[in-house]
Amino acid sequence: MNSSKNVLQFLCFRSPYGGSFFKSLLRLEQTLNNDGVDMVYLLHENVSDIPWVKALIAEGRNIYFLSGNFYQDMLTIKKIVAKHHIKYVHAHFAGTRQFAMFKIIKKLYKNDLVIIRHLRNHDKPRGFVAESVRKALNHVDLYIGCSESVAIEYRKNFKLNNGKVTYVTNAIDFNRLNDYEKLSRGDFYISSQTTVFLMFGFDYYRK
């Protein structure tokens, strides 16, 4: 175990499927393991009832859950950081509450902890009061955008220096396409004469 590089992946994520997002994290875990680095998962609430999470637990992966109680969760994070010799916290979809907990852990128990926020979309300041509260409660050492566009705009909007923001283009696990569910038009009451096309209801400017 390389105690100086172990990673805690924090996820505010409750989904019926892990999707490409979690497949990418598992691939990252495999790559880090090959380099002697451990990766641990912490989710914002108990999602052990979801089948794909159950499967990961059955595989023996290190997965923890927060309770919703601030002080109990602080203790949980402290124990995880100590037990697994965590060096990096990589936070996805996290809010002010979670970053406040990581800041306290960093200040009181492990001042060399590196806190990383993954940026999933373009963002801009929400006003003087809101930004003042966020800055007081939160600490982030590095921001990682899901695209170059997200990183550039975040750096500009929040007036951060170049070394504070970087980007890693979102990954796609194409192996997921090798095993798929075959759908029938009849299951959806679609006639054979009807044209079917795939449409994404999202603005992918951020990509």
Side-chain angles (χ1 to χ4, degrees), residues 78-107:
K78 179 186 174 184
K79 287 180 177 178
I80 294 171
V81 169
K83 177 180 179 180
H84 295 281
H85 306 282
I86 298 299
K87 173 67 175 181
Y88 302 98
V89 172
H90 187 188
H92 306 263
F93 316 114
T96 298
R97 176 188 177 90
Q98 290 85 25
F99 281 110
M101 290 191 288
F102 297 138
K103 178 179 180 178
I104 294 170
I105 295 295
K106 179 182 176 76
K107 292 289 185 182

Side-chain angles (χ1 to χ4, degrees), residues 29-42:
E29 180 183 4
Q30 179 184 352
T31 301
L32 293 177
N33 287 167
N34 291 339
D35 290 335
V37 178
D38 288 340
M39 203 158 97
V40 179
Y41 301 93
L42 174 63

Side-chain angles (χ1 to χ4, degrees), residues 62-129:
N62 292 308
I63 300 181
Y64 299 88
F65 309 99
L66 294 183
S67 68
N69 180 288
F70 188 87
Y71 300 103
Q72 184 176 332
D73 290 342
M74 284 288 302
L75 185 59
T76 297
I77 296 171
K78 179 186 174 184
K79 287 180 177 178
I80 294 171
V81 169
K83 177 180 179 180
H84 295 281
H85 306 282
I86 298 299
K87 173 67 175 181
Y88 302 98
V89 172
H90 187 188
H92 306 263
F93 316 114
T96 298
R97 176 188 177 90
Q98 290 85 25
F99 281 110
M101 290 191 288
F102 297 138
K103 178 179 180 178
I104 294 170
I105 295 295
K106 179 182 176 76
K107 292 289 185 182
L108 298 183
Y109 305 113
K110 188 173 175 62
N111 58 17
D112 63 341
L113 188 69
V114 178
I115 302 171
I116 302 168
R117 180 185 174 190
H118 208 98
L119 305 172
R120 67 186 187 276
N121 207 344
H122 298 87
D123 199 3
K124 54 186 176 182
R126 291 168 175 78
F128 175 77
V129 174

Side-chain angles (χ1 to χ4, degrees), residues 9-191:
Q9 295 285 357
F10 176 78
L11 318 163
C12 282
F13 188 68
R14 183 180 183 92
S15 171
Y17 55 88
S20 186
F21 167 61
F22 215 91
K23 283 285 188 179
S24 300
L25 290 181
L26 294 176
R27 180 59 183 270
L28 174 61
E29 180 183 4
Q30 179 184 352
T31 301
L32 293 177
N33 287 167
N34 291 339
D35 290 335
V37 178
D38 288 340
M39 203 158 97
V40 179
Y41 301 93
L42 174 63
L43 286 98
H44 73 299
E45 63 182 39
N46 191 334
V47 294
S48 58
D49 58 316
I50 299 177
W52 66 269
V53 178
K54 287 182 180 178
L56 293 175
I57 294 172
E59 292 173 7
R61 298 183 189 274
N62 292 308
I63 300 181
Y64 299 88
F65 309 99
L66 294 183
S67 68
N69 180 288
F70 188 87
Y71 300 103
Q72 184 176 332
D73 290 342
M74 284 288 302
L75 185 59
T76 297
I77 296 171
K78 179 186 174 184
K79 287 180 177 178
I80 294 171
V81 169
K83 177 180 179 180
H84 295 281
H85 306 282
I86 298 299
K87 173 67 175 181
Y88 302 98
V89 172
H90 187 188
H92 306 263
F93 316 114
T96 298
R97 176 188 177 90
Q98 290 85 25
F99 281 110
M101 290 191 288
F102 297 138
K103 178 179 180 178
I104 294 170
I105 295 295
K106 179 182 176 76
K107 292 289 185 182
L108 298 183
Y109 305 113
K110 188 173 175 62
N111 58 17
D112 63 341
L113 188 69
V114 178
I115 302 171
I116 302 168
R117 180 185 174 190
H118 208 98
L119 305 172
R120 67 186 187 276
N121 207 344
H122 298 87
D123 199 3
K124 54 186 176 182
R126 291 168 175 78
F128 175 77
V129 174
E131 285 306 302
S132 297
V133 171
R134 182 184 64 81
K135 289 178 181 179
L137 296 179
N138 292 181
H139 173 90
V140 176
D141 295 293
L142 178 68
Y143 297 87
I144 299 179
C146 67
S147 70
E148 184 176 15
S149 171
V150 167
I152 290 174
E153 190 162 309
Y154 196 89
R155 186 187 302 124
K156 178 183 70 176
N157 289 345
F158 288 87
K159 297 179 173 55
L160 299 171
N161 62 55
N162 289 340
K164 190 88 170 180
V165 186
T166 187
Y167 72 95
V168 177
T169 304
N170 271 2
I172 298 176
D173 178 13
F174 288 102
N175 290 328
R176 296 173 62 237
L177 304 180
N178 296 332
D179 182 20
Y180 55 89
E181 180 183 2
K182 292 185 178 180
L183 303 177
S184 169
R185 285 172 174 259
D187 294 338
F188 300 92
Y189 305 101
I190 300 173
S191 72

